[in-house]
Amino acid sequence: MKLSQFNFELPPELLAEYPSEHRDEARLMVLNRKEQTIEHKLFKDLINYFDEGDVMMLNNTKVFPARMYGNKEKTGARIEVFLLRELNAEHRLWDVLVDPARKIRIGNKLFFGEDESLVAEVIDNTTSRGRTLRFLFDGPYDEFRRKLIELGQTPLPKYIKRDVEPEDEERYQTIYAKHEGAVAAPTAGLHFSKHLMKRLEIKGVDFAEMTLHVGLGTFNPVEVEDLSKHKMDSEKIIIPEEACNVVNNALENKKRICAVGTTVMRTVESSVSANQRLNEFTGWTNKFIFPPYDFSIANSMVTNFHTPKSTLLMMVAAFAGYDFVMEAYEQAVKEKYKFYSYGDAMLII
């Protein structure tokens, strides 16, 4: 398939700047692949599509406050620094993106905090906007991490033009987030409330937790018309034995297995055995799923509404069928569903 096939007109007012007041009251579009029907519900109605023994696979990554603002030495120019990944804990080395990048060269120093209590030195250029920073911090590692969290902001997506609000710290985190390491939330999971999780549990639905630390690679634009030539950035994944047991048991019993989000789908499809079972795994994945693709584990999925030409939209089209998904998106625009991180949701069964 070609990149241009995933383009559509998305009115800017449909990009959600705020989430629903209650997490589970976002709108939910339900796509039934077998019947080729589309229903309009609320997210909390999701429970009606799952029964005892069915499984929800969740990404329990936790977003850390990855966006920082510093000042360049001598000029005092304000520089945005987006922490991508820690390269070396002992030497305080981090891969980052800087903006404006043209001002930041190897050897420059950046000062963070009103008291300039944290300093970083640029030691490498990695891409046009990418740099490697060495943070100059004398205290123990725990103290250094606390300082990063104190100075960082919730990394809301760039399309959200408003300032970060204190409430975003809680809004932009799933209620089951456990393992810190993501620079963006696995957004499908943001719709789950404690109340809905409890109701699902009472109904006998099982949960299988795994981790994919979302990096910015998930959102990198595709710049090649031939999708087979696009390369995804690698992201860290952890699939524990416990999750494999829950999922494989449900596969044996022909239950509904739901991937909550594209990150979960990429995680499980990165570690499938020859007999189509989920394998325990800790490592990295750069899996890029686009049509046509045969899925091995999940037979349903929850996802948000994604932006045109995104790798996320391509995966959803691979799962539900290209024509069906593009028809659903046309309806979503017409019915004014909200798109992207704080937007509405889709359930594909």
Side-chain angles (χ1 to χ4, degrees):
M1 295 204 78
K2 304 292 183 195
L3 175 64
S4 49
Q5 291 174 266
F6 292 92
N7 201 12
F8 63 93
E9 200 62 48
L10 179 56
E13 66 272 16
L14 296 188
L15 289 171
E17 293 242 321
Y18 288 93
S20 303
E21 192 182 343
H22 300 290
R23 284 176 183 260
D24 58 12
E25 289 186 354
R27 294 165 76 191
L28 179 71
M29 183 186 277
V30 183
L31 274 60
N32 185 314
R33 294 180 293 172
K34 191 175 170 197
E35 310 292 337
Q36 292 285 291
T37 55
I38 295 175
E39 295 178 283
H40 304 281
K41 303 281 185 182
L42 289 179
F43 194 81
K44 58 188 178 186
D45 299 327
L46 175 99
I47 192 166
N48 301 326
Y49 298 89
F50 293 88
D51 294 311
E52 187 176 352
D54 290 343
V55 172
M56 295 255 173
M57 300 186 293
L58 309 173
N59 181 4
N60 62 16
T61 188
K62 192 173 185 181
V63 181
F64 69 95
R67 184 170 277 129
M68 302 169 67
Y69 292 93
N71 296 98
K72 191 177 165 189
E73 65 176 336
K74 294 180 184 152
T75 67
R78 190 173 192 247
I79 306 295
E80 179 186 301
V81 172
F82 197 102
L83 301 173
L84 286 181
R85 62 176 71 89
E86 187 172 49
L87 298 174
N88 184 304
E90 189 188 347
H91 296 294
R92 318 280 198 257
L93 295 182
W94 280 77
D95 256 346
V96 304
L97 294 178
V98 292
D99 192 20
R102 59 192 160 72
K103 294 186 173 180
I104 302 300
R105 299 190 173 89
I106 292 172
N108 287 159
K109 283 199 173 77
L110 298 170
F111 295 86
F112 299 91
E114 284 180 20
D115 56 355
E116 300 189 341
S117 56
L118 187 61
V119 183
E121 183 181 8
V122 181
I123 62 168
D124 197 10
N125 284 350
T126 50
T127 62
S128 59
R129 287 182 59 214
R131 302 289 185 271
T132 302
L133 295 188
R134 180 194 288 122
F135 285 95
L136 311 173
F137 188 86
D138 288 338
Y141 181 74
D142 289 356
E143 225 174 89
F144 167 65
R145 288 295 295 214
R146 275 199 298 276
K147 179 58 75 173
L148 285 185
I149 286 164
E150 176 199 318
L151 293 171
Q153 289 186 2
T154 302
L156 290 183
K158 278 286 197 188
Y159 82 84
I160 293 180
K161 300 300 182 202
R162 62 176 174 79
D163 288 340
V164 173
E165 299 169 3
E167 295 86 349
D168 286 313
E169 190 179 339
E170 179 265 336
R171 287 172 182 151
Y172 200 58
Q173 202 78 270
T174 63
I175 59 165
Y176 46 79
K178 288 191 180 74
H179 304 298
E180 196 173 81
V183 300
T187 54
L190 295 179
H191 302 291
F192 285 84
S193 64
K194 285 182 177 153
H195 182 61
L196 178 58
M197 296 283 280
K198 182 49 80 178
R199 287 175 63 213
L200 285 162
E201 205 180 299
I202 290 166
K203 198 168 181 181
V205 174
D206 292 318
F207 299 105
E209 293 190 16
M210 53 201 69
T211 310
L212 180 144
H213 289 316
V214 187
L216 284 186
T218 299
F219 310 103
N220 274 352
V222 181
E223 291 171 338
V224 285
E225 180 67 3
D226 178 354
L227 299 185
S228 65
K229 295 196 164 48
H230 177 67
K231 295 283 183 286
M232 294 283 280
D233 279 1
S234 290
E235 292 165 310
K236 179 84 181 281
I237 62 173
I238 301 157
I239 307 173
E241 183 185 7
E242 190 185 344
C244 295
N245 293 341
V246 170
V247 169
N248 291 334
N249 184 46
L251 280 168
E252 300 290 346
N253 292 305
K254 304 209 167 6
K255 295 293 186 182
R256 182 162 279 171
I257 300 170
C258 182
V260 176
T262 56
T263 60
V264 166
M265 193 68 92
R266 286 181 53 231
T267 300
V268 297
E269 288 297 321
S270 299
S271 188
V272 179
S273 68
N275 63 345
Q276 309 291 282
R277 292 294 177 267
L278 185 60
N279 280 342
E280 190 182 350
F281 181 71
T282 298
W284 296 81
T285 182
N286 62 352
K287 191 150 191 84
F288 174 34
I289 298 173
F290 59 96
Y293 184 87
D294 289 328
F295 291 84
S296 304
I297 305 294
N299 50 29
S300 60
M301 89 180 282
V302 174
T303 188
N304 281 32
F305 287 92
H306 306 295
T307 44
K309 296 184 175 179
S310 61
T311 58
L312 312 171
L313 172 57
M314 291 162 194
M315 179 195 293
V316 175
F319 189 72
Y322 172 80
D323 291 335
F324 193 26
V325 164
M326 296 316 275
E327 178 197 336
Y329 267 57
E330 206 175 302
Q331 269 203 40
V333 170
K334 201 157 54 182
E335 299 286 337
K336 296 195 165 23
Y337 274 74
K338 292 290 190 177
F339 278 65
Y340 216 41
S341 303
Y342 277 158
D344 294 315
M346 178 185 276
L347 168 65
I348 305 165
I349 55 175

